[in-house]
Amino acid sequence: MEFMKEEIKVGLTNIVTERVTDKNTAKTMGSGSLEVYATPAMTCLMEKAATEALEPLLTEGWTTVGISLNIKHKAATPTGLNVRAEARVTAVDGRKITFEVKAFDDREEIGSGTHERFAVMKEKFMAKALGKAQ
């Protein structure tokens, strides 16, 4: 396909990590009142894992955008621990790529779900988005 310089295959996996700090707690991010890893931070890390898995395989001028995310945040993680997000391609349907996503802290699985991304031409996508400001 025109957007891929290398085929995106089911099973492609990527892992990213971050440390839980005051900057990514629910209290700081506004998604809650406690000083534990925020759900928005976890979802962002899951999307980052998926995005980074695909970027090296895309033709110049193309990227992917998130179009759906269905996750459960199952366990709290205090500051000082590390969080690891894993994204694994489960389906490729034209320009839509589906992932299984999971997140773990140093002790246990803390979240899981599915995430879909769609390949777009950067210039065309941004022109349409910026057209809303007219």
Side-chain angles (χ1 to χ4, degrees), residues 54-107:
L54 299 176
E55 284 298 320
L57 306 178
L58 300 175
T59 304
E60 188 172 334
W62 286 80
T63 192
T64 60
V65 294
I67 59 170
S68 93
L69 186 62
N70 182 6
I71 58 120
K72 291 184 180 183
H73 194 167
K74 307 179 210 181
T77 305
T79 57
L81 294 186
N82 296 302
V83 174
R84 175 180 88 245
E86 300 177 359
R88 185 178 65 83
V89 174
T90 57
V92 180
D93 182 11
R95 293 193 289 155
K96 183 174 78 171
I97 302 98
T98 304
F99 291 86
E100 172 187 53
V101 289
K102 293 184 178 184
F104 303 84
D105 63 21
D106 294 326
R107 308 278 187 269

